[in-house]
Amino acid sequence: MGLALARLPDWPAGMNRETALAYTGVAEGQLREWERRGLVRFRQRGPRGAAIAARADLDAALATLFGGADGDDPIEFD
């Protein structure tokens, strides 16, 4: 395993907004769009009632950016 990979964190199964943004690397506006479309849902289940989203939902939403789950054409690089 490369040194850079060894420094990556182990991401939790549920993430608050700040952690979800760091995990996905998308802009706040993109995360809000996913929420509007129902791809990512934050629920009041975290410590002290914090809203968290499932990592699986974030992964699926990310896949849509690259032609994944919602049937979009994949991005092609020539």
Side-chain angles (χ1 to χ4, degrees), residues 9-72:
D10 290 327
W11 297 98
M15 300 178 210
N16 64 23
R17 181 170 297 276
E18 180 181 342
T19 306
L21 287 167
Y23 175 70
T24 60
V26 300
E28 175 74 32
Q30 180 65 64
L31 187 56
R32 283 193 306 269
E33 178 186 328
W34 288 341
E35 288 180 90
R36 281 192 301 274
R37 293 174 52 198
L39 297 173
V40 174
R41 288 181 284 179
F42 284 88
R43 295 186 174 99
Q44 307 289 18
R45 301 286 189 270
R48 296 181 300 279
I52 59 171
R55 183 178 65 207
D57 289 349
L58 295 165
D59 289 339
L62 268 174
T64 67
L65 290 179
F66 300 98
D70 73 353
D72 287 346

